[in-house]
Amino acid sequence: LSGLGLRHVGYGIPVDYFSPWVTSFVQVIRGLTDDETVHEAFRWSLNLLSRVLTRVIMEGSTLVMQAINENSANHLKKAVACAPRGERALWALSVQVGTQSISPLLWAIE
């Protein structure tokens, strides 16, 4: 799930979208079945997923990733300039959350 969350960081998905996303999916399931147990199980699962993704997005939303999402070379320069001298390349090359990491540079190229 951390990998999925980091991809969402790269997509620039706001965490405010997760609550309506969960609600809409649960409404679809309500239209498919009348079983309240299924509704609650689905809601619980999606709420857990949204909480994990929110945590990963919050932890993975570094200045470098935000600058890349804004598609701004000027913001990227400012973001990397905030890093200590010995860590500037690392800030541009890797964002890690838990055991998953993503390369902002590779993301920007793709």
Side-chain angles (χ1 to χ4, degrees):
L1 289 178
S2 293
L4 179 63
L6 285 172
R7 283 194 296 277
H8 279 72
V9 169
Y11 299 144
I13 305 294
V15 296
D16 298 339
Y17 290 177
F18 286 118
S19 180
W21 176 77
V22 168
T23 302
S24 64
F25 267 68
V26 171
Q27 286 176 352
V28 168
I29 293 300
R30 285 191 187 281
L32 298 174
T33 181
D34 293 329
D35 188 347
E36 194 60 35
T37 304
V38 172
H39 300 166
E40 286 307 309
F42 201 71
R43 178 183 299 284
W44 182 87
S45 299
L46 289 179
N47 276 327
L48 177 62
L49 176 63
S50 72
R51 285 193 304 269
V52 169
L53 291 177
T54 298
R55 180 189 61 85
V56 171
I57 288 171
M58 298 305 284
E59 290 179 15
S61 293
T62 64
L63 292 174
V64 172
M65 287 299 287
Q66 290 171 6
I68 290 170
N69 288 338
E70 293 171 8
N71 199 24
S72 170
N74 193 30
H75 287 157
L76 182 59
K77 287 178 187 175
K78 288 179 182 178
V80 173
C82 292
R85 279 191 191 263
E87 296 179 20
R88 288 182 182 168
L90 268 174
W91 277 34
L93 294 175
S94 182
V95 172
Q96 183 159 349
V97 176
T99 60
Q100 298 292 315
S101 65
I102 189 171
S103 170
L105 179 63
L106 182 60
W107 186 266
I109 291 170
E110 292 177 347

XYZ file of all heavy atoms in Angstrom:
857
model
N 0.807 -1.201 0.000
C 0.000 0.000 0.000
C 0.851 1.267 0.000
O 0.433 2.271 -0.547
C -0.934 0.004 1.204
C -2.088 -0.991 1.171
C -2.904 -0.908 2.448
C -2.954 -0.820 -0.034
N 2.048 1.169 0.607
C 2.926 2.337 0.615
C 3.324 2.727 -0.804
O 3.382 3.907 -1.143
C 4.180 2.064 1.451
O 3.845 1.922 2.803
N 3.585 1.722 -1.643
C 3.924 2.001 -3.038
C 2.789 2.709 -3.760
O 3.003 3.651 -4.527
N 1.564 2.271 -3.515
C 0.386 2.905 -4.116
C 0.258 4.345 -3.624
O -0.017 5.257 -4.399
C -0.869 2.105 -3.774
C -2.188 2.646 -4.297
C -2.209 2.649 -5.822
C -3.346 1.827 -3.743
N 0.477 4.547 -2.339
C 0.416 5.900 -1.777
C 1.461 6.816 -2.373
O 1.175 7.977 -2.689
N 2.675 6.297 -2.562
C 3.726 7.118 -3.164
C 3.392 7.475 -4.607
O 3.706 8.570 -5.074
C 5.077 6.408 -3.072
C 5.712 6.424 -1.685
C 6.947 5.547 -1.642
C 6.055 7.853 -1.270
N 2.760 6.566 -5.319
C 2.332 6.908 -6.680
C 1.300 8.029 -6.635
O 1.297 8.922 -7.478
C 1.780 5.683 -7.401
C 2.883 4.753 -7.897
C 2.372 3.731 -8.886
N 1.411 2.807 -8.325
C 1.722 1.716 -7.630
N 2.993 1.410 -7.408
N 0.789 0.922 -7.159
N 0.422 8.002 -5.634
C -0.574 9.066 -5.493
C 0.089 10.395 -5.143
O -0.409 11.453 -5.527
C -1.634 8.690 -4.453
C -2.691 7.792 -5.003
N -2.444 6.472 -5.308
C -3.987 8.021 -5.327
C -3.547 5.934 -5.779
N -4.499 6.844 -5.805
N 1.204 10.353 -4.421
C 1.964 11.581 -4.171
C 2.407 12.147 -5.509
O 2.261 13.337 -5.785
C 3.195 11.318 -3.267
C 4.107 12.537 -3.234
C 2.769 10.939 -1.867
N 2.936 11.276 -6.364
C 3.394 11.707 -7.679
C 2.270 12.232 -8.551
O 2.473 13.127 -9.365
N 1.064 11.694 -8.383
C -0.077 12.170 -9.161
C -0.626 13.482 -8.619
O -1.434 14.128 -9.269
C -1.212 11.135 -9.148
C -0.878 9.790 -9.727
C -1.416 8.636 -9.177
C -0.026 9.644 -10.818
C -1.125 7.388 -9.701
C 0.269 8.404 -11.345
C -0.287 7.281 -10.784
O 0.003 6.048 -11.298
N -0.222 13.838 -7.410
C -0.719 15.066 -6.793
C -2.153 14.955 -6.304
O -2.892 15.925 -6.302
N -2.556 13.765 -5.857
C -3.925 13.544 -5.388
C -4.089 14.143 -3.984
O -3.386 13.756 -3.065
C -4.257 12.032 -5.324
C -4.014 11.354 -6.667
C -5.675 11.806 -4.818
C -4.929 11.794 -7.763
N -5.017 15.095 -3.802
C -5.254 15.649 -2.470
C -5.914 14.606 -1.554
O -6.770 13.837 -2.001
C -6.214 16.811 -2.709
C -6.178 17.073 -4.178
C -5.789 15.787 -4.830
N -5.529 14.586 -0.305
C -6.097 13.618 0.643
C -7.575 13.895 0.910
O -8.294 13.000 1.346
C -5.299 13.563 1.966
C -3.896 13.055 1.727
C -5.274 14.910 2.655
N -8.042 15.090 0.609
C -9.453 15.423 0.803
C -10.374 14.609 -0.107
O -11.573 14.519 0.141
C -9.708 16.910 0.523
C -8.939 17.813 1.459
O -8.540 17.336 2.542
O -8.743 18.988 1.117
N -9.833 14.008 -1.145
C -10.640 13.232 -2.091
C -10.973 11.833 -1.578
O -11.835 11.179 -2.135
C -9.930 13.102 -3.429
C -9.845 14.380 -4.232
C -9.167 14.408 -5.431
C -10.440 15.559 -3.807
C -9.082 15.564 -6.187
C -10.356 16.717 -4.546
C -9.671 16.705 -5.742
O -9.601 17.849 -6.482
N -10.274 11.361 -0.555
C -10.469 9.980 -0.124
C -11.828 9.731 0.519
O -12.439 8.701 0.287
C -9.340 9.513 0.807
C -8.066 9.264 0.069
C -6.938 10.002 0.355
C -7.991 8.293 -0.912
C -5.753 9.781 -0.343
C -6.818 8.059 -1.610
C -5.696 8.816 -1.324
N -12.324 10.661 1.310
C -13.620 10.469 1.961
C -14.758 10.343 0.939
O -15.553 9.400 1.011
C -13.893 11.603 2.947
O -15.131 11.414 3.572
N -14.844 11.250 -0.048
C -15.895 11.077 -1.062
C -15.699 9.806 -1.897
O -16.664 9.180 -2.325
C -15.783 12.319 -1.945
C -14.922 13.269 -1.231
C -14.159 12.514 -0.203
N -14.446 9.430 -2.094
C -14.136 8.201 -2.834
C -14.708 6.985 -2.105
O -15.372 6.145 -2.715
C -12.624 8.086 -3.006
C -12.153 6.842 -3.661
C -12.196 6.532 -4.984
C -11.540 5.721 -3.012
N -11.646 5.287 -5.190
C -11.237 4.773 -3.998
C -11.217 5.439 -1.681
C -10.633 3.559 -3.708
C -10.610 4.234 -1.394
C -10.329 3.313 -2.399
N -14.479 6.913 -0.796
C -15.003 5.802 0.002
C -16.536 5.809 -0.042
O -17.170 4.779 -0.277
C -14.491 5.867 1.464
C -15.253 4.899 2.357
C -12.993 5.598 1.523
N -17.123 6.977 0.160
C -18.582 7.089 0.165
C -19.182 6.633 -1.165
O -20.169 5.890 -1.188
C -19.004 8.541 0.462
O -18.459 8.924 1.721
C -20.508 8.688 0.498
N -18.570 7.055 -2.264
C -19.124 6.678 -3.570
C -19.011 5.184 -3.826
O -19.941 4.568 -4.364
C -18.458 7.475 -4.691
O -17.091 7.165 -4.782
N -17.906 4.573 -3.429
C -17.750 3.135 -3.615
C -18.758 2.362 -2.764
O -19.325 1.364 -3.219
C -16.321 2.693 -3.262
C -15.408 2.670 -4.451
C -15.024 3.833 -5.079
C -14.930 1.464 -4.952
C -14.182 3.821 -6.174
C -14.093 1.434 -6.043
C -13.713 2.612 -6.666
N -18.978 2.817 -1.541
C -19.946 2.140 -0.673
C -21.353 2.276 -1.255
O -22.142 1.329 -1.213
C -19.865 2.679 0.769
C -21.008 2.160 1.627
C -18.520 2.287 1.390
N -21.676 3.417 -1.831
C -22.989 3.596 -2.454
C -23.177 2.637 -3.629
O -24.276 2.102 -3.830
C -23.171 5.034 -2.915
C -23.403 5.992 -1.777
C -23.489 7.442 -2.242
O -23.235 7.759 -3.407
N -23.823 8.330 -1.307
N -22.130 2.423 -4.390
C -22.211 1.464 -5.502
C -22.504 0.063 -4.966
O -23.365 -0.657 -5.489
C -20.917 1.476 -6.342
C -20.876 0.296 -7.311
C -20.785 2.790 -7.095
N -21.795 -0.323 -3.898
C -22.018 -1.650 -3.303
C -23.439 -1.763 -2.760
O -24.075 -2.802 -2.885
C -20.967 -1.942 -2.199
C -19.580 -2.079 -2.820
C -21.327 -3.175 -1.399
C -19.447 -3.196 -3.832
N -23.947 -0.676 -2.164
C -25.335 -0.695 -1.660
C -26.327 -0.987 -2.787
O -27.359 -1.612 -2.573
C -25.682 0.625 -0.979
C -25.066 0.780 0.379
C -25.664 1.984 1.104
N -24.968 2.242 2.346
C -25.161 1.571 3.474
N -26.024 0.587 3.508
N -24.482 1.868 4.558
N -26.013 -0.517 -3.991
C -26.884 -0.782 -5.128
C -26.787 -2.211 -5.640
O -27.669 -2.680 -6.360
N -25.723 -2.909 -5.266
C -25.512 -4.276 -5.748
C -26.016 -5.353 -4.792
O -26.285 -6.473 -5.212
C -24.021 -4.501 -6.033
C -23.411 -3.613 -7.123
C -21.904 -3.840 -7.203
C -24.075 -3.872 -8.464
N -26.093 -5.012 -3.501
C -26.527 -6.000 -2.514
C -27.232 -5.303 -1.347
O -26.922 -4.151 -1.026
C -25.351 -6.851 -1.994
O -25.840 -7.807 -1.047
C -24.290 -6.013 -1.325
N -28.131 -6.018 -0.712
C -28.836 -5.488 0.456
C -28.220 -5.966 1.767
O -28.685 -5.590 2.840
C -30.312 -5.905 0.421
C -31.056 -5.243 -0.729
O -30.682 -4.115 -1.091
O -32.002 -5.865 -1.251
N -27.176 -6.766 1.684
C -26.541 -7.349 2.872
C -25.752 -6.271 3.623
O -24.724 -5.789 3.151
C -25.622 -8.498 2.457
C -25.082 -9.279 3.638
O -25.201 -8.798 4.782
O -24.528 -10.373 3.405
N -26.244 -5.906 4.795
C -25.610 -4.850 5.598
C -24.198 -5.241 6.038
O -23.332 -4.377 6.189
C -26.485 -4.522 6.811
C -26.107 -3.242 7.518
C -26.202 -2.004 6.626
O -27.089 -1.928 5.763
O -25.360 -1.098 6.808
N -23.969 -6.522 6.242
C -22.623 -6.985 6.620
C -21.620 -6.682 5.511
O -20.497 -6.248 5.773
C -22.634 -8.498 6.917
O -23.603 -8.756 7.928
C -21.279 -8.980 7.392
N -22.027 -6.884 4.281
C -21.155 -6.578 3.127
C -20.889 -5.082 3.064
O -19.743 -4.654 2.854
C -21.784 -7.083 1.809
C -20.995 -6.595 0.605
C -21.891 -8.591 1.805
N -21.914 -4.276 3.291
C -21.751 -2.823 3.266
C -20.720 -2.374 4.303
O -19.817 -1.596 3.999
C -23.070 -2.104 3.559
C -24.150 -2.416 2.588
N -25.460 -2.108 2.830
C -24.139 -3.023 1.372
C -26.201 -2.484 1.820
N -25.424 -3.060 0.918
N -20.891 -2.864 5.528
C -19.979 -2.461 6.607
C -18.563 -2.981 6.381
O -17.588 -2.281 6.653
C -20.518 -2.914 7.963
C -21.689 -2.092 8.443
C -21.392 -0.598 8.442
O -20.365 -0.166 8.992
O -22.209 0.150 7.860
N -18.439 -4.203 5.886
C -17.108 -4.769 5.611
C -16.400 -3.965 4.525
O -15.210 -3.662 4.633
C -17.225 -6.234 5.190
N -17.138 -3.609 3.501
C -16.562 -2.829 2.406
C -16.172 -1.440 2.888
O -15.087 -0.943 2.578
C -17.575 -2.749 1.261
C -16.961 -2.436 -0.062
C -16.181 -3.367 -0.730
C -17.166 -1.209 -0.654
C -15.605 -3.075 -1.947
C -16.606 -0.907 -1.878
C -15.824 -1.839 -2.527
N -17.052 -0.810 3.669
C -16.746 0.516 4.210
C -15.506 0.455 5.111
O -14.625 1.297 5.010
C -17.927 1.072 5.003
C -17.642 2.449 5.631
C -18.790 2.966 6.476
N -20.017 3.155 5.744
C -20.248 4.178 4.913
N -19.332 5.079 4.723
N -21.402 4.281 4.296
N -15.439 -0.549 5.980
C -14.301 -0.679 6.892
C -13.005 -0.842 6.099
O -12.007 -0.191 6.386
C -14.504 -1.876 7.820
C -13.400 -2.042 8.806
C -13.300 -1.456 10.038
C -12.212 -2.838 8.649
N -12.128 -1.836 10.647
C -11.444 -2.685 9.810
C -11.741 -3.658 7.633
C -10.216 -3.310 9.974
C -10.518 -4.289 7.792
C -9.779 -4.109 8.964
N -13.040 -1.702 5.084
C -11.835 -1.958 4.276
C -11.379 -0.705 3.547
O -10.182 -0.370 3.538
C -12.106 -3.066 3.253
O -12.441 -4.260 3.893
N -12.312 0.001 2.941
C -11.939 1.211 2.206
C -11.496 2.327 3.136
O -10.616 3.114 2.790
C -13.090 1.667 1.318
C -13.364 0.781 0.104
C -14.538 1.322 -0.688
C -12.146 0.638 -0.774
N -12.097 2.420 4.322
C -11.636 3.412 5.300
C -10.203 3.129 5.730
O -9.396 4.048 5.865
C -12.557 3.462 6.509
C -13.754 4.342 6.284
O -13.684 5.337 5.578
N -14.875 3.980 6.879
N -9.892 1.858 5.941
C -8.520 1.489 6.293
C -7.567 1.868 5.165
O -6.512 2.471 5.397
C -8.427 -0.009 6.597
C -7.034 -0.541 6.909
C -6.467 0.113 8.158
C -7.082 -2.060 7.072
N -7.933 1.535 3.942
C -7.112 1.869 2.783
C -6.912 3.376 2.682
O -5.791 3.851 2.469
C -7.765 1.333 1.510
C -7.074 1.678 0.202
C -5.684 1.066 0.150
C -7.913 1.200 -0.969
N -7.965 4.144 2.867
C -7.840 5.601 2.760
C -6.958 6.177 3.860
O -6.202 7.117 3.625
C -9.209 6.273 2.743
O -9.824 6.231 3.996
N -7.021 5.609 5.068
C -6.152 6.086 6.163
C -4.682 5.791 5.863
O -3.812 6.632 6.106
C -6.574 5.471 7.491
C -7.846 6.075 8.059
C -8.088 5.683 9.506
N -8.126 4.243 9.717
C -9.223 3.491 9.668
N -10.379 4.041 9.378
N -9.167 2.203 9.895
N -4.403 4.606 5.340
C -3.020 4.249 4.995
C -2.513 5.163 3.877
O -1.402 5.705 3.960
C -2.906 2.764 4.585
C -1.552 2.461 3.988
C -3.180 1.860 5.772
N -3.320 5.347 2.844
C -2.907 6.211 1.738
C -2.710 7.654 2.200
O -1.764 8.319 1.782
C -3.923 6.147 0.604
C -4.000 4.830 -0.154
C -5.104 4.881 -1.207
C -2.683 4.457 -0.784
N -3.581 8.128 3.079
C -3.432 9.486 3.609
C -2.117 9.633 4.367
O -1.386 10.610 4.180
C -4.619 9.838 4.533
O -5.818 9.793 3.762
C -4.456 11.203 5.157
N -1.785 8.645 5.207
C -0.522 8.703 5.948
C 0.670 8.730 5.000
O 1.575 9.544 5.149
C -0.393 7.508 6.887
C 0.912 7.510 7.691
C 1.119 6.215 8.452
N 1.212 5.045 7.593
C 2.337 4.640 7.003
N 3.454 5.302 7.157
N 2.338 3.553 6.257
N 0.639 7.870 3.998
C 1.760 7.804 3.055
C 1.877 9.110 2.270
O 2.972 9.627 2.076
C 1.605 6.604 2.101
C 2.635 6.652 0.990
C 1.723 5.298 2.870
N 0.748 9.647 1.839
C 0.778 10.902 1.086
C 1.312 12.032 1.955
O 2.131 12.842 1.509
C -0.614 11.228 0.517
C -0.936 10.258 -0.630
C -0.690 12.679 0.052
C -2.358 10.339 -1.123
N 0.882 12.094 3.199
C 1.358 13.157 4.092
C 2.860 13.032 4.354
O 3.574 14.025 4.363
C 0.578 13.146 5.402
C -0.915 13.414 5.240
S -1.302 14.933 4.390
C -0.971 16.109 5.670
N 3.342 11.811 4.556
C 4.766 11.599 4.814
C 5.606 11.744 3.551
O 6.760 12.142 3.618
C 4.994 10.220 5.429
C 4.477 10.090 6.836
C 4.692 8.702 7.406
O 5.483 7.926 6.836
O 4.052 8.392 8.428
N 5.038 11.403 2.411
C 5.797 11.422 1.161
C 5.725 12.727 0.400
O 6.402 12.899 -0.608
N 4.894 13.660 0.867
C 4.750 14.937 0.172
C 5.864 15.890 0.582
O 5.667 16.825 1.350
C 3.380 15.558 0.477
O 2.367 14.778 -0.073
N 7.036 15.649 0.042
C 8.184 16.500 0.343
C 8.148 17.742 -0.537
O 7.369 17.827 -1.496
C 9.499 15.740 0.086
O 9.576 15.439 -1.313
C 9.563 14.468 0.906
N 8.996 18.690 -0.227
C 9.082 19.906 -1.045
C 9.423 19.574 -2.491
O 8.905 20.191 -3.423
C 10.125 20.863 -0.461
C 9.792 21.498 0.886
C 10.983 22.301 1.407
C 8.572 22.382 0.771
N 10.288 18.594 -2.680
C 10.695 18.204 -4.031
C 9.498 17.635 -4.796
O 9.241 18.013 -5.946
C 11.865 17.196 -3.990
C 12.159 16.642 -5.369
C 13.112 17.846 -3.396
N 8.744 16.735 -4.173
C 7.579 16.151 -4.847
C 6.526 17.224 -5.138
O 5.896 17.210 -6.192
C 6.979 15.024 -4.009
C 7.806 13.757 -3.999
S 8.051 13.002 -5.614
C 6.436 12.319 -5.933
N 6.344 18.176 -4.239
C 5.376 19.245 -4.473
C 5.806 20.108 -5.659
O 4.978 20.490 -6.492
C 5.210 20.096 -3.221
C 4.507 19.365 -2.097
C 4.532 20.128 -0.783
O 4.978 21.265 -0.725
N 4.070 19.497 0.274
N 7.097 20.401 -5.750
C 7.612 21.192 -6.873
C 7.430 20.453 -8.190
O 7.066 21.051 -9.212
C 9.093 21.523 -6.650
N 7.653 19.142 -8.169
C 7.461 18.347 -9.389
C 5.990 18.338 -9.779
O 5.651 18.481 -10.957
C 8.013 16.922 -9.191
C 9.544 16.975 -9.130
C 7.551 15.993 -10.300
C 10.192 15.686 -8.712
N 5.092 18.190 -8.801
C 3.665 18.207 -9.095
C 3.219 19.547 -9.680
O 2.308 19.604 -10.493
C 2.845 17.887 -7.850
C 2.942 16.437 -7.464
O 3.257 15.589 -8.276
N 2.676 16.153 -6.207
N 3.870 20.630 -9.251
C 3.548 21.964 -9.772
C 4.205 22.201 -11.128
O 3.942 23.210 -11.779
C 3.992 23.040 -8.782
C 3.202 23.029 -7.492
C 3.794 23.948 -6.437
O 4.732 24.714 -6.744
O 3.316 23.888 -5.300
N 5.099 21.294 -11.532
C 5.810 21.396 -12.802
C 6.586 22.709 -12.882
O 6.554 23.413 -13.883
C 4.842 21.253 -13.979
C 5.565 20.904 -15.262
O 6.659 20.346 -15.235
N 4.961 21.228 -16.387
N 7.284 23.028 -11.792
C 7.992 24.299 -11.689
C 9.476 24.067 -11.413
O 9.843 23.595 -10.336
C 7.386 25.145 -10.569
O 8.193 26.264 -10.302
N 10.303 24.411 -12.384
C 11.750 24.286 -12.207
C 12.229 25.212 -11.095
O 13.117 24.847 -10.311
C 12.474 24.596 -13.514
N 11.654 26.403 -11.004
C 12.038 27.363 -9.974
C 11.741 26.816 -8.579
O 12.574 26.902 -7.669
C 11.314 28.689 -10.206
C 11.898 29.808 -9.372
O 13.077 29.801 -9.061
N 11.064 30.778 -9.038
N 10.542 26.218 -8.401
C 10.195 25.631 -7.102
C 11.082 24.435 -6.784
O 11.446 24.213 -5.626
C 8.727 25.208 -7.071
C 7.780 26.356 -6.986
N 6.481 26.256 -7.402
C 7.932 27.624 -6.538
C 5.875 27.416 -7.210
N 6.740 28.261 -6.699
N 11.457 23.674 -7.809
C 12.340 22.536 -7.587
C 13.713 23.000 -7.108
O 14.274 22.428 -6.174
C 12.468 21.701 -8.860
C 13.328 20.446 -8.756
C 12.784 19.498 -7.690
C 13.406 19.746 -10.100
N 14.235 24.051 -7.704
C 15.531 24.595 -7.272
C 15.457 25.059 -5.823
O 16.367 24.802 -5.032
C 15.955 25.755 -8.168
C 16.398 25.336 -9.544
C 16.746 26.543 -10.388
C 17.028 26.143 -11.822
N 17.243 27.314 -12.694
N 14.368 25.739 -5.479
C 14.192 26.212 -4.099
C 14.053 25.044 -3.129
O 14.588 25.081 -2.023
C 12.969 27.125 -3.994
C 13.156 28.472 -4.636
C 11.900 29.312 -4.518
C 12.066 30.655 -5.201
N 10.841 31.451 -5.134
N 13.345 24.005 -3.544
C 13.147 22.840 -2.673
C 14.464 22.134 -2.403
O 14.772 21.786 -1.258
C 12.156 21.866 -3.311
N 15.257 21.927 -3.436
C 16.551 21.250 -3.271
C 17.514 22.132 -2.485
O 18.323 21.636 -1.708
C 17.135 20.836 -4.644
C 18.537 20.305 -4.511
C 16.227 19.801 -5.303
N 17.396 23.446 -2.640
C 18.269 24.369 -1.905
C 18.018 24.302 -0.398
O 18.914 24.640 0.390
C 18.074 25.794 -2.405
N 16.844 23.844 0.021
C 16.525 23.717 1.451
C 17.272 22.557 2.098
O 17.411 22.515 3.326
C 15.026 23.507 1.655
S 14.027 24.935 1.235
N 17.738 21.638 1.294
C 18.419 20.442 1.820
C 19.838 20.793 2.245
O 20.480 21.656 1.640
C 18.458 19.351 0.757
N 20.339 20.127 3.280
C 21.747 20.305 3.632
C 22.619 19.902 2.442
O 22.257 19.024 1.661
C 21.943 19.338 4.805
C 20.573 19.074 5.338
C 19.650 19.205 4.176
N 23.782 20.521 2.314
C 24.642 20.298 1.151
C 24.876 18.828 0.822
O 24.784 18.423 -0.308
C 25.991 20.984 1.332
C 25.957 22.411 1.010
C 27.370 22.982 0.951
N 27.282 24.414 0.881
C 27.338 25.091 -0.247
N 27.482 24.455 -1.380
N 27.237 26.390 -0.236
N 25.172 18.042 1.794
C 25.480 16.639 1.548
C 24.260 15.787 1.200
O 24.395 14.635 0.807
N 23.052 16.343 1.336
C 21.841 15.565 1.108
C 21.018 16.054 -0.083
O 19.972 15.490 -0.380
C 20.966 15.610 2.364
C 21.615 14.968 3.569
C 20.733 15.044 4.797
O 19.507 15.244 4.637
O 21.259 14.929 5.903
N 21.483 17.051 -0.812
C 20.685 17.619 -1.907
C 20.377 16.600 -2.995
O 19.257 16.534 -3.472
C 21.387 18.840 -2.496
C 21.336 20.006 -1.552
C 21.966 21.229 -2.105
N 21.884 22.274 -1.080
C 22.536 23.405 -1.133
N 23.313 23.669 -2.168
N 22.410 24.277 -0.172
N 21.358 15.819 -3.370
C 21.123 14.812 -4.409
C 20.122 13.773 -3.922
O 19.252 13.335 -4.680
C 22.432 14.148 -4.809
N 20.221 13.392 -2.644
C 19.279 12.423 -2.089
C 17.847 12.935 -2.119
O 16.921 12.177 -2.400
C 19.657 12.081 -0.650
C 20.577 10.891 -0.461
C 20.988 10.761 0.993
C 19.913 9.629 -0.942
N 17.661 14.205 -1.831
C 16.310 14.766 -1.835
C 15.696 14.676 -3.230
O 14.498 14.473 -3.378
C 16.338 16.229 -1.387
C 16.360 16.430 0.089
C 16.969 15.637 1.020
C 15.763 17.498 0.813
N 16.795 16.153 2.269
C 16.062 17.301 2.174
C 15.034 18.611 0.437
C 15.628 18.167 3.161
C 14.607 19.484 1.416
C 14.892 19.263 2.771
N 16.518 14.857 -4.260
C 16.010 14.813 -5.630
C 15.871 13.385 -6.149
O 15.143 13.144 -7.096
C 16.931 15.595 -6.553
N 16.576 12.447 -5.517
C 16.607 11.082 -6.047
C 15.749 10.084 -5.300
O 15.477 9.005 -5.820
C 18.053 10.570 -6.077
C 18.983 11.309 -7.040
C 20.398 10.799 -6.896
C 18.500 11.185 -8.467
N 15.316 10.397 -4.073
C 14.572 9.386 -3.335
C 13.650 9.995 -2.284
O 14.056 10.875 -1.533
C 15.541 8.423 -2.646
O 14.842 7.416 -1.971
N 12.414 9.507 -2.260
C 11.463 9.802 -1.194
C 11.060 8.456 -0.634
O 10.647 7.572 -1.367
C 10.213 10.547 -1.716
C 9.166 10.667 -0.625
C 10.595 11.907 -2.247
N 11.206 8.282 0.668
C 10.898 6.987 1.277
C 9.837 7.138 2.353
O 9.882 8.056 3.166
C 12.147 6.362 1.880
C 11.872 4.990 2.462
C 13.118 4.153 2.606
O 14.165 4.497 2.103
N 12.984 3.054 3.287
N 8.885 6.195 2.324
C 7.858 6.087 3.356
C 7.805 4.629 3.746
O 7.509 3.772 2.914
C 6.477 6.568 2.864
C 5.432 6.342 3.934
C 6.528 8.033 2.461
N 8.123 4.347 4.988
C 8.188 2.951 5.424
C 9.265 2.218 4.644
O 10.398 2.670 4.578
N 8.900 1.126 4.014
C 9.880 0.351 3.249
C 9.836 0.684 1.763
O 10.634 0.159 0.996
C 9.595 -1.160 3.409
O 8.279 -1.444 2.927
C 9.716 -1.583 4.864
N 8.927 1.533 1.342
C 8.782 1.877 -0.074
C 9.461 3.202 -0.376
O 9.472 4.108 0.445
C 7.298 1.982 -0.447
C 6.539 0.705 -0.285
C 6.978 -0.346 -1.284
O 7.151 -0.066 -2.454
N 7.170 -1.559 -0.803
N 10.011 3.307 -1.569
C 10.603 4.574 -1.986
C 10.260 4.832 -3.452
O 9.937 3.916 -4.200
C 12.115 4.571 -1.781
O 12.715 3.613 -2.612
N 10.334 6.102 -3.807
C 10.094 6.523 -5.183
C 11.130 7.586 -5.519
O 11.578 8.322 -4.638
C 8.652 7.068 -5.352
C 8.325 7.289 -6.824
C 8.430 8.320 -4.562
C 6.864 7.624 -7.077
N 11.526 7.639 -6.764
C 12.487 8.638 -7.202
C 11.743 9.809 -7.829
O 11.146 9.656 -8.892
C 13.449 8.034 -8.222
O 14.233 9.059 -8.807
N 11.779 10.989 -7.199
C 11.137 12.153 -7.806
C 11.723 12.474 -9.173
O 11.006 12.873 -10.082
C 11.411 13.291 -6.816
C 11.660 12.601 -5.520
C 12.318 11.295 -5.868
N 13.031 12.269 -9.341
C 13.663 12.544 -10.631
C 13.114 11.615 -11.702
O 12.700 12.057 -12.774
C 15.181 12.392 -10.517
C 15.955 12.630 -11.814
C 15.773 14.070 -12.290
C 17.420 12.310 -11.624
N 13.056 10.331 -11.399
C 12.512 9.364 -12.348
C 11.038 9.666 -12.638
O 10.586 9.584 -13.782
C 12.679 7.937 -11.822
C 12.197 6.828 -12.731
C 12.931 6.848 -14.061
C 12.382 5.467 -12.053
N 10.288 10.029 -11.593
C 8.879 10.366 -11.769
C 8.738 11.540 -12.718
O 7.868 11.547 -13.598
C 8.261 10.694 -10.412
C 6.797 10.905 -10.519
C 6.155 12.084 -10.691
C 5.787 9.903 -10.501
N 4.809 11.900 -10.764
C 4.548 10.579 -10.659
C 5.803 8.534 -10.357
C 3.349 9.896 -10.674
C 4.592 7.858 -10.385
C 3.395 8.538 -10.538
N 9.583 12.570 -12.554
C 9.504 13.767 -13.398
C 9.841 13.422 -14.854
O 9.231 13.968 -15.780
C 10.445 14.841 -12.872
N 10.786 12.541 -15.063
C 11.179 12.152 -16.415
C 10.065 11.378 -17.103
O 9.791 11.570 -18.279
C 12.485 11.329 -16.384
C 13.641 12.241 -15.964
C 12.761 10.691 -17.740
C 14.926 11.498 -15.677
N 9.426 10.478 -16.357
C 8.348 9.663 -16.932
C 7.157 10.539 -17.215
O 6.424 10.389 -18.098
C 7.942 8.536 -15.989
C 9.023 7.493 -15.846
C 8.659 6.408 -14.852
O 7.691 6.581 -14.092
O 9.339 5.390 -14.817
